[in-house]
Amino acid sequence: MLLPRGGPRRISPPQAHRMLQTGTAVLLDVREADEYQAGHAPGALHLPLSRLAAGAADVPGGRSGRGIVLICRSGHRSQDAARLLADRGVASVDVAGGMRDWEERGLPVQDAQGTAGTVI
């Protein structure tokens, strides 16, 4: 996945969901642990922005050959994460509107136990 000029591009929650469902992307949730545990997209991997900013070198799914899609609560932290990754030469996209928009569109949200979750 190539980064367009001008920085990381944004995609909608339905686009991200389709990419996750078809296996063409890895969805990384960059929120903190309590947020992720309360409600995340099924199949999303957890990599908090705080850990990424502190220099976490290994990006889950980064070597899989699939695209990297970043998501947070509203879309701000995922943009920051996309910029951090771009600075490291890792292409990614972020989800505009984040998990709040994901949930509002009726896309699945699960908690740490795999049951219906909520976005906090």
Side-chain angles (χ1 to χ4, degrees), residues 2 8-11 13 26 42 44 49 52 59 62 68 70 72 78 102 107 111 113:
L2 298 175
R9 75 178 176 97
R10 307 195 87 188
I11 62 174
V26 174
L49 177 60
L52 188 60
V59 177
I68 296 174
L70 305 163
C72 64
S78 57
W102 181 285
L107 296 170
D111 66 14
Q113 289 75 43

Side-chain angles (χ1 to χ4, degrees), residues 83-106:
R83 287 185 195 101
L84 280 171
L85 290 177
D87 289 346
R88 297 177 188 174
V90 178
S92 64
V93 297
D94 83 286
V95 180
M99 284 300 300
R100 286 194 304 195
D101 195 25
W102 181 285
E103 184 177 50
E104 286 175 11
R105 291 174 183 247

Side-chain angles (χ1 to χ4, degrees), residues 18 45 58 107:
R18 277 191 300 279
L45 302 176
D58 194 30
L107 296 170

Side-chain angles (χ1 to χ4, degrees), residues 10-82:
R10 307 195 87 188
I11 62 174
S12 70
Q15 288 173 305
H17 185 251
R18 277 191 300 279
M19 292 173 76
L20 186 60
Q21 293 297 300
T22 61
T24 58
V26 174
L27 182 63
L28 297 181
D29 191 317
V30 299
R31 297 174 299 152
E32 294 302 319
D34 60 329
E35 296 172 287
Y36 178 82
Q37 291 170 0
H40 59 271
L45 302 176
H46 188 223
L47 178 62
L49 177 60
S50 58
R51 201 169 116 217
L52 188 60
D58 194 30
V59 177
R63 296 189 185 126
S64 68
R66 296 182 286 168
I68 296 174
V69 177
L70 305 163
I71 195 165
C72 64
R73 184 176 53 130
S74 64
H76 297 290
R77 285 177 281 182
S78 57
Q79 282 185 306
D80 291 344

